[in-house]
Amino acid sequence: MPKVTRQLPEGYEAISRPVAVDMIKAIVRHLGLEGRTQIQFNGDTVTAPQPGSRLEDQNNNASAPRFDSHQKVEAMLSEDFMDREVLATAITQKNNPVVFLDRPLAVSMKPVYHMVEGTLSFTARFPDQVSAEQWKKRMLRHISQGRNEMYHEVHYQYPIPKEFIAILHEIHRLRENNAGYGEDLGTWLRACFNPRITTLTTMAGTEPLLAFDEVQQAVIGWFDWELPPKEDKSSEPGATWTAQFDYKYQYEQITGMVLDYPIIVHNQFLDECWRGRNTPYELDRRPAYMSMAKHFYQAMRGFKGGYVETMEGIVYPDFDEWRPLRVPSNTLRVMSLMIQVDPTDPSLVLNLNDLKHWHINPVVLDYMLANRQWLTKHHFTPLLVAMYIDNEPMEERLITVDENGDVRTTTPMNERHQYHFVLHALIDLTQLSSDRADALRRSPEACLLFLQSLDPRLAPNGLLPAVIGGRMVSRPGWLKTLAHIRTSNPIYQNAPEMGRFTVGTYLLTTQNKELAHGHR
Amino acid sequence: MAIANPNPSNPAPVPKNPNIQSPEYRGVTNDLRYTPVRSLLTNIAGSPWELAEYYSQYLNADNALAAQNVNRQAVYQQYMRIKRMEVMVTSGAAATQDVTSKEMSVQGSAVTYPGIIPNDGDMFVSAAWDGRRLIYTVSNVERLSIMKDTCYRFDFKVVSYDDEVRYADLQSKVVKDTIFVKDMLYTNQQPLLVDAEYAFYKEGAQFVLDSQERYLKDFVNLRFQTLLVPDQPLSTYDPYIAEAVLRLIDGTVLPQKNKTKLLNVDTGFPYEIQTMWDGLLDLNGNNRDGWAVCLGCLESGYFNHGPRFGSIRWSGIEQVYHALANVDFAGTLPSEFYLTEFGIGQPVMASSLAPLRQYGQGRTLITTLNVDVTAEEPTTPVIPGSPPLIHHVSTDNYYVFTKWFYTQSEGQSVLEVETNKALAGITLSRTHLMELIKDSYKWTYLDRFYYLPVLWVLVRTSLAEM
């Protein structure tokens, strides 16, 4: 499930400036200067447009030259991100409201908000002393009345990154390519986007840009003064007076967007350019030190005797970022495989004898096949075979394993969904039902392997239980070992899962050329 | 009932006049002095420089100025493109190199013609000295006077060569396309034309020039040194169109006109006779009820001034197409007035009101108005019911145009409708005029003789309306 974050194609013209212009107009109204006051809010070039060069001037007969004596408010904007908030800002987390959602495909899009403090530096020019003085006294009254702070409503449109549109386009193509719904792109987008979606174009109707219309309410702003500033006689000749003051406001500014999407859509993989090949970075694939001795030491130190050591089990394909939202209690994933439904045999999941580059330890596999009727039932097997449809676990009765090791679903799998095959290991064997624990003890070779995998220090420390007559693990020894394991140190733990050391002992890895090339 | 009435029947307050205009100072004094643009043109300093493309920022009230931001979406930065804009360079582009970074800098300054307002951050594309093209940015724009028509001085600076990315970005941000036509400034008109206007400007101005030259070649009889009505069995002179044509053609442009003379067609009738030509040349149809509308041919012997006055009687031309051939013709005054005063009430020596003869039967097909403006060539006829572009001259007894033209009623051709619009001061249809121009090459001699001068007037009127 790639989660892509991109910055917006435009920030200043799309958000900062419209917000600031909303502010300036509200402030000029509040100051009692509206109507007869020219607002000058320069941008990039720091210079004002020539009178008569703007569209509104053509209707307004405003091409006459301006002189330096009329009433004017000049504003300058500077925006600062609030450093206290930056590290605590949610990016991919669930905090931000979703604005695009296709639940069956698990495609979603949401904006990223950062807290911004804008400072507008105003220079007000009054045509004479009287109007400057009256303005100051009006502000003084407002302060006495507690009207120094204001709530604002700001309105803007933020555009969607064009890369996201390209990805959505590709997802829609695949969606309709196989087991499609017969919807065109526009219909699908309209159904999934928040209705605030709109299209911006130039005045000629060209260069369309998808954007969201947004209104933020209760944006707080305040005059950065104790008392209104003293008005000064302007240095320019004439009777004009000027006053300078700052106004500050804080709002949540959109700084980027997050797109969450699957790598398999209607049973078809997205092309490699639409997903990452984020294989984990591994030190021992390349010489880490420019010294042979150090390099060999490093290689030896990480050698695990051919067993795989991983915290989340084996994931295939390795760029699959899918993670189950819910797992059975006291288990750890040993292996997650993405399933591409075979249209000719839609109920076949896989064969336990043919797991791509990996083989299940023959002892374990024999035990699993011998007890295959329990294999899908939690608390009844030390290794649990489970299936996930999209993000949800499938009901265990829908999965069967036959004597050849074929895992099947009882109802055919639907190509419109994503399926994952997951092998969970039960970490706390005390959770095993007593019948099944007894059965496990009667397969001493497998039983010892399971215990050993939970804590490889058992054998060196002589803590493995005794095997009675080579046919059965002794019950007191079994219980004693389990009690010991509960006290030993887990190496990995998160909310749903707890890892024991080298769970991968179950699985032998056969490293073939394909895999070696994959890792470079 | 003591409950307060929120809507008392007080008289409505007198509404204050809304102040729609921007509240600039308005006093009682009125400055009548206005310096027209064309008087400025020769006083603009510098040497002319044609910029291939000028990108003027398309701004609204709350937009800010910014130079080209290549990565800015077109929605947030829009331009009006002005092709072939001419500026006057006051300080030529000087190329210098920074000795530390070895980066080049090319800067200069120039002055615009009136009618164009540059802004800081505008961009333009112009040829470099080696044939490649450079992209420049504009800064420090300064208005040079407080007059209504003013020039602007600006500095320019090279940004880069017109590389793929920058140039394509500029192109994608264009929302309006115009062409700078300096000639418009001489007639106090807005110098920026959109493409359709420019096409008409080019085609129309060229048409008038070419057509006038050809007209003099075709219709000036060198033996009589005057314009003769073509295709007539007897040599025929029309004094009204002869005068109109000579007034329409500029002798400094077409010196052939100066060899052409008007003949004396004075009679005993001592008042001026007006026709539609007088209205057309003044673009004023208010006196149309005083025009002579039905003409006939008079023998030139009717015009009885002596040879020393150069009367047409002695010129060798056999007949005159004249208003007095109409028995019913009465000038603007009651006919009794003329009769009693001058005693010429006897029937004039009218031959008849026979219309002029149309020859060239094979070419009399009339093109109807092409309502499909996208078609390249007007087809004949496009729609059976659509109006014809012209009626042939002398379709009925009326002079030049048909009765429908004079009565402004149903049945007029496109040319007649447009002429009536011009007489009423209504904006002409450029599409229709373009069709008439294209069609004019297929007209008969007689049609061209009478209709081409009409079309010159219409095209020139339309050019002045841009």
Side-chain angles (χ1 to χ4, degrees), chain A residues 259-512:
Chain A
L259 181 66
D260 203 347
Y261 59 97
I263 57 172
I264 189 162
V265 173
H266 283 205
N267 217 26
Q268 307 149 91
F269 265 107
L270 258 65
D271 191 82
E272 200 173 337
C273 63
W274 304 110
R275 54 175 164 82
R277 268 201 57 100
N278 45 341
T279 53
Y281 179 77
E282 291 180 36
L283 275 179
D284 54 355
R285 296 288 169 198
R286 276 179 249 188
Y289 300 99
M290 297 305 119
S291 143
M292 296 297 276
K294 282 183 182 173
H295 172 58
F296 286 139
Y297 170 73
Q298 183 71 20
M300 289 302 289
R301 206 178 60 137
F303 185 66
K304 296 292 186 300
Y307 292 105
V308 181
E309 182 184 351
T310 131
M311 288 196 281
E312 54 188 9
I314 285 167
V315 174
Y316 185 85
D318 53 5
F319 50 81
D320 183 15
E321 291 172 347
W322 175 87
R323 299 289 176 271
L325 284 180
R326 282 183 284 155
V327 292
S329 57
N330 292 306
T331 61
L332 182 70
R333 269 170 299 144
V334 173
M335 178 177 249
S336 321
L337 301 179
M338 177 177 263
I339 301 302
Q340 211 167 0
V341 180
D342 180 359
T344 58
D345 188 2
S347 64
L348 176 66
V349 178
L350 49 79
N351 189 299
L352 290 175
N353 292 305
D354 180 17
L355 296 175
K356 283 287 170 188
H357 313 299
W358 298 275
H359 298 294
I360 298 177
N361 189 320
V363 176
V364 178
L365 186 61
D366 287 348
Y367 173 81
M368 287 167 74
L369 292 180
N371 298 281
R372 62 177 195 277
Q373 71 271 36
W374 306 101
L375 211 46
T376 59
K377 297 171 178 61
H378 189 34
H379 298 303
F380 291 90
T381 174
L383 266 181
L384 177 68
V385 167
M387 289 286 294
Y388 284 79
I389 174 167
D390 298 331
N391 268 322
E392 299 296 326
M394 276 170 80
E395 164 63 36
E396 60 190 28
R397 280 168 296 182
L398 294 178
I399 313 159
T400 60
V401 183
D402 70 9
E403 66 275 13
N404 298 324
D406 276 353
V407 180
R408 286 185 175 276
T409 54
T410 54
T411 54
M413 291 186 282
N414 187 340
E415 291 185 69
R416 287 176 174 174
H417 290 285
Q418 303 174 55
Y419 294 89
H420 282 86
F421 166 88
V422 178
L423 203 55
H424 293 287
L426 188 63
I427 289 174
D428 187 355
L429 290 177
T430 59
Q431 301 284 319
L432 214 52
S433 75
S434 56
D435 284 3
R436 299 315 304 154
D438 293 348
L440 179 58
R441 283 194 292 115
R442 280 193 286 276
S443 302
E445 205 179 348
C447 180
L448 293 185
L449 196 56
F450 284 131
L451 290 173
Q452 178 73 11
S453 72
L454 292 180
D455 189 345
R457 288 159 297 195
L458 289 176
N461 295 342
L463 291 167
L464 280 177
V467 179
I468 303 165
R471 299 191 41 200
M472 189 175 183
V473 175
S474 86
R475 184 175 159 82
W478 162 260
L479 291 175
K480 193 180 165 200
T481 307
L482 291 189
H484 171 76
I485 290 173
R486 293 192 75 168
T487 61
S488 69
N489 199 14
I491 58 147
Y492 160 71
Q493 194 165 12
N494 63 20
E497 290 177 308
M498 180 173 73
R500 306 298 306 199
F501 202 47
T502 57
V503 161
T505 319
Y506 298 124
L507 293 164
L508 288 168
T509 175
T510 58
Q511 190 170 359
N512 65 13

Side-chain angles (χ1 to χ4, degrees), chain A residues 10 13-14 17 21 25 43-45 47-50 52-56 63 65 162 200 202-204 207 209, chain B residues 21 24 58-66 69 72-76 78 117-120 141 143 146 152 172 175:
Chain A
E10 178 67 53
E13 286 284 348
R17 190 171 172 90
V21 168
K25 287 181 176 165
D44 210 357
T45 60
T47 52
Q50 280 286 355
S53 67
R54 300 178 304 178
L55 290 177
E56 66 148 23
S63 58
K162 288 198 167 172
L200 308 177
T202 66
M203 296 192 79
E207 303 286 325
L209 193 60
Chain B
Q21 287 288 338
E24 290 163 24
Y58 217 56
L59 302 167
N60 214 336
D62 291 329
N63 291 120
L65 300 178
N69 276 245
R72 179 156 286 166
Q73 300 291 315
V75 170
Y76 301 108
Q78 303 179 19
I117 307 179
N119 262 322
D120 293 14
V141 177
R143 185 176 172 134
I146 60 169
Y152 295 83
S172 73
V175 296

